[in-house]
Structure formats: C-alpha cells, structure tokens
Amino acid sequence: MSATCALQGTEESAASIRTRLCPKCFLCERQGELLYESLTDRLYGAPGTWNLRRCPGVECGLVWLDPMPVEEDIGKAYLNYHTHGQGSEPVRTQIRRVGRAVKSNYLSFKYGYSCGLRRPFNFVIGLMMYLLPGVRANVNHGACHLSARRGGRLLDIGCGSGELLNGMRRLGWEAEGTDSDPKAVEIARGKSLKVHLCGTPAELQLASGTFDAVVMSHVIEHLSDPLALLRESHRLLNPGGSLVIVTPNGRSLGHRFYGANWRGLEPPRHLHVFSPQSMRVLLGEAGFRDVRLATTIRGADFYFTSSRALQQAQLPVTAAEQRWRERIWGQAMLGVEWGWLKFEDEVGEEIAVVARR
C-alpha cells in the first residue's frame, strides 16, 4: 500500500505511513517543482512511494518530500534502520599509532587541542594530514570543526550511540547528548556518557545560554520542522556560542551523477535535503548571523559506492564488506570531487556549518 493511499483516507494497514501534502517550500513559500516521483525505500524497506520536489528559487534550492509523513507515523520509517552500532576499537598496529600521532598533532595546530607535540613540531607532523584530504575531512568532523575549549559545555543532538560525543569528551569538552532511540541511549550510557532519551531538546526545558556549542550531525534532514530546532539551539547557546551542522548536500557532485539513486536522498527518512543557499536562509531565520559554511568530501567514497549500487539495483554494503574494486572506485571518486571543489565550492557531498549566536 502506498503512502498516498493513507492521505486519501482509504483503509490502511498498521504498517502504512500516513502523509500530508507539502507542495510549497517551507522557507520561501514557492511552489515546488517535481524532481523525482514514485521512489521507494530500497535501503530499509519502509512502506510507501515517495515524491521529491525542489524549490525553483536560485537563492534557495531546497529539496523535500511531498507528500511528507505525518509526525505520528514517521517512526515507522525507522523500524529496520541500523545506525546505532556499538562500534569497536581498531586493532593497534604501528601504522595506526603513526596515524594517531599525525591526527593528534593536526588537531593541536589546527584547533588548539593539547594532544600533540609542542609547537612548531606539531605543525610539521600535522601537515602530513594534508596529504590525505579524505582522512583530514573525517578528522575535522570528529572535532566538530570546533576550536579547543576545555570545560566548555557541548550538546550533541541526535547523538546515537555516542561515538562523536565520546570523541569530544576526550578532547576536553563537557559533553552530553540527546537521542530518541532507546537502544542507542543505552549503548551511549554504557560508555559513561550523559545522554537524555527525548525527541527534542525542548522537552528537557533547559535554561537559556546553557551550552557553549550545540552539534547536530546528520539530524536536520530528518526533521519535519528544522526551524524550530534551530531556534531552540539558538536559545540554548551562550552569546558567542557555536552551532555545528553536518548534513547531505543537495547540490553535490554525487547527486548530479546519480540523480534519484543518490544515497543522500534516502526517502522517506530524509524529509528535507538542503543546498548551501537554503541552509543559509534557514540559519538566518533562526537568528544566526555569523555563519561559516562549506561543502566537504567527507564520506564521498561512501556516497559514490552506495549510489552506484542503488543505480545497479543492488543493496549498498558496509565499508568492511566492500570488494577491493568498490573501494578503489570510491577513493577515486573522492579524489575527483576533491579536485572539482577547487573550481566549484558547492559540489561536496556534505554541508558543514559553524554558526555563532
């Protein structure tokens, strides 16, 4: 049974997802142009067929689901969703030890964390990270693009099993998180992390100016009302505090290559897919003025290999399950995107934002 059947009021099964019409861009109220239609969830088997619209405004370019799942039924899209694994420590080898040393010194001179050698040695060793742009993008993400602030309070919204949260704690942040998945919260708390089980931070009724940084990685695209969350984040931040957002980029090279098969679309869980322009509009509406935004190659190998599998009517596999040819393909396309970014700055697979209150 399709999602649109529920919209029309016909008899529905317990597994179906009811929807509401969303013909207009919620940011600029323009009538959306049909981008893709009759898409299905080929990743996790959520019921329904789904259409995507795109805002025609060149200063916006937002992509969204129409029809969109109603709030009460969106949980049905996550019944088979697997994102909150326990994770494991990598096997310690000499190569990994060298890699950790390079990473530590890069974080020291780039962001000011006290985890490397003293200057100028950390600068010299950390420069090796620039030889590996894909790894460097991952390291920047692991530090949430934030400069050191030992004892600073950080809230990770949608923290999952707490991998990013745990990394920020190790870098000296007083970090806590929120997530709506009970299993994820259980795993995170097992790591001695402070994590709240809730749908949104507003449910916690925290005081204004509680945090020095608010982080949301791959969260905002899942929300029916992202503006409400950003306004709440603005309230929770101290003056001068930072909001960090990482989300798929609707104007990426991968989307141009693969169209409806691009992994970043993920209907029906990704309700909104932002462009750099629409993200700036959204942040302005939420009250943020000092915005640093870039598109990055982080995860480009994953996006390209997964999108290619979907194009070939195959189910994407994890990095550990990939054959060597798939890994080479992914790394090659990551390199292509890295070079393309030198000429066009909005083709990265992800948007990374640091905005100040």
Side-chain angles (χ1 to χ4, degrees):
M1 179 178 177
S2 73
T4 53
C5 289
L7 178 71
Q8 296 164 355
T10 59
E11 187 175 350
E12 59 196 50
S13 71
S16 66
I17 299 176
R18 294 170 297 169
T19 61
R20 58 186 177 88
L21 292 174
C22 298
K24 293 185 178 181
C25 173
F26 85 95
L27 285 173
C28 59
E29 293 295 321
R30 288 187 175 92
Q31 182 74 27
E33 299 174 341
L34 185 63
L35 182 62
Y36 307 118
E37 59 182 334
S38 300
L39 302 183
T40 59
D41 180 14
R42 292 179 284 164
L43 297 169
Y44 301 104
T49 57
W50 308 93
N51 303 332
L52 285 166
R53 291 188 179 274
R54 179 165 56 196
C55 179
V58 294
E59 72 282 8
C60 183
L62 179 71
V63 173
W64 70 94
L65 282 180
D66 176 36
M68 188 175 291
V70 298
E71 196 72 27
E72 296 80 6
D73 283 10
I74 189 61
K76 296 178 182 179
Y78 294 86
L79 293 179
N80 300 314
Y81 199 44
H82 302 289
T83 60
H84 298 131
Q86 178 72 50
S88 60
E89 289 293 328
V91 178
R92 297 199 174 193
T93 65
Q94 190 60 36
I95 293 177
R96 290 191 182 278
R97 290 189 184 95
V98 172
R100 285 197 299 272
V102 173
K103 172 183 172 181
S104 296
N105 285 282
Y106 172 78
L107 290 173
S108 180
F109 84 80
K110 173 72 174 179
Y111 295 109
Y113 291 103
S114 56
C115 54
L117 300 174
R118 294 183 178 179
R119 293 177 181 273
F121 302 106
N122 59 2
F123 176 76
V124 174
I125 297 175
L127 277 178
M128 295 173 63
M129 191 64 70
Y130 286 87
L131 301 175
L132 301 167
V135 176
R136 179 160 49 92
N138 285 329
V139 173
N140 288 334
H141 177 265
C144 295
H145 305 271
L146 291 171
S147 296
R149 187 163 183 170
R150 180 163 291 277
R153 295 197 64 186
L154 179 147
L155 178 67
D156 184 358
I157 299 174
C159 66
S161 55
E163 291 186 22
L164 188 64
L165 189 63
N166 200 26
M168 295 307 290
R169 182 178 65 173
R170 289 173 177 172
L171 288 175
W173 287 84
E174 185 181 327
E176 58 190 270
T178 70
D179 204 278
S180 60
D181 185 330
K183 180 61 176 176
V185 171
E186 179 186 350
I187 294 171
R189 288 175 177 172
K191 301 172 183 175
S192 300
L193 295 169
K194 182 179 180 181
V195 178
H196 309 277
L197 179 61
C198 64
T200 67
E203 298 173 18
L204 301 177
Q205 298 182 333
L206 297 169
S208 298
T210 299
F211 296 99
D212 301 296
V214 172
V215 175
M216 51 187 83
S217 177
H218 288 261
V219 169
I220 199 166
E221 65 271 19
H222 294 264
L223 303 178
S224 58
D225 188 0
L227 181 57
L229 179 60
L230 291 197
R231 284 175 172 163
E232 174 65 7
S233 300
H234 187 276
R235 187 187 71 81
L236 289 174
L237 283 168
N238 285 320
S242 298
L243 170 71
V244 179
I245 298 174
V246 178
T247 188
N249 173 23
R251 288 188 169 160
S252 74
L253 190 63
H255 192 192
R256 298 180 194 183
F257 273 27
Y258 291 105
N261 294 301
W262 181 54
R263 181 64 173 78
L265 296 178
E266 200 173 315
R269 284 166 297 279
H270 289 185
L271 308 183
H272 299 96
V273 181
F274 292 89
S275 66
Q277 293 79 6
S278 59
M279 179 59 68
R280 289 186 183 277
V281 173
L282 179 65
L283 289 163
E285 289 289 325
F288 292 93
R289 295 292 178 263
D290 183 6
V291 176
R292 290 189 288 117
L293 182 152
T295 71
T296 82
I297 61 171
R298 192 187 85 93
D301 52 342
F302 163 78
Y303 282 97
F304 275 94
T305 54
S306 297
S307 302
R308 188 185 191 193
L310 291 172
Q311 186 183 60
Q312 297 173 349
Q314 299 173 356
L315 188 66
V317 298
T318 64
E321 297 169 329
Q322 285 179 350
R323 295 171 298 180
W324 65 270
R325 290 180 181 177
E326 294 168 327
R327 296 183 183 184
I328 291 175
W329 164 257
Q331 290 299 315
M333 294 310 297
L334 183 148
V336 168
E337 187 165 280
W338 175 78
W340 204 308
L341 269 172
K342 307 303 178 186
F343 304 96
E344 191 175 354
D345 61 6
E346 62 176 41
V347 300
E349 295 306 297
E350 292 184 343
I351 297 171
V353 175
V354 180
R356 297 194 185 280
R357 184 185 187 281

